[in-house]
Amino acid sequence: MKDEKITLTAEATLFYSPGDESAFFTWLKAMIFVHSIGGSGRYLDIVVSPAAMNEYDLRELLALFYRYGVDMKQLSVFSEGPEFKFLRDRRGYWYKHVFE
């Protein structure tokens, strides 16, 4: 996963106001490991660079996906390496959403 990019998809994300939508994109764009954001219609592709991520970054991504109802199962790809071993902690609020 070193230099490769991973595409995550947010499908039919529900925003409750223009400010809510703005907050989502502001949060997403502030993540330095996000390489690009694009898509059309119901699908938003979020291309990330895992090599540029640390534990704090993945925790921010988990929080964003959780808050906005983005499918968190796709984040299980990060559990393969030792750098994000916290992701496999069954006590984490994210665990069921990512692995079950």
Side-chain angles (χ1 to χ4, degrees):
M1 219 181 343
K2 293 185 181 171
D3 293 332
E4 68 186 74
K5 307 253 186 303
I6 295 175
T7 300
L8 306 169
T9 302
E11 180 180 353
T13 305
L14 180 61
F15 303 111
Y16 296 99
S17 72
D20 189 35
E21 182 175 7
S22 176
F24 174 84
F25 283 101
T26 298
W27 193 357
L28 192 57
K29 289 175 183 176
M31 297 178 178
I32 61 171
F33 58 88
V34 173
H35 179 67
S36 64
I37 304 166
S40 63
R42 299 171 41 104
Y43 301 95
L44 178 67
D45 292 329
I46 304 161
V47 180
V48 300
S49 301
M53 295 174 69
N54 59 33
E55 181 177 330
Y56 171 84
D57 297 326
L58 183 53
R59 287 181 183 276
E60 284 295 303
L61 193 58
L62 283 162
L64 178 80
F65 276 32
Y66 184 80
R67 182 173 305 272
Y68 286 95
V70 178
D71 180 12
M72 295 175 70
K73 291 192 183 328
Q74 59 193 319
L75 299 179
S76 66
V77 69
F78 296 106
S79 70
E80 297 169 6
E83 62 272 21
F84 301 122
K85 66 182 181 179
F86 81 92
L87 192 59
R88 296 184 294 269
D89 184 348
R90 292 180 179 269
R91 296 170 295 175
Y93 73 89
W94 60 82
Y95 188 86
K96 287 184 180 183
H97 301 284
V98 174
F99 297 107
E100 294 179 5

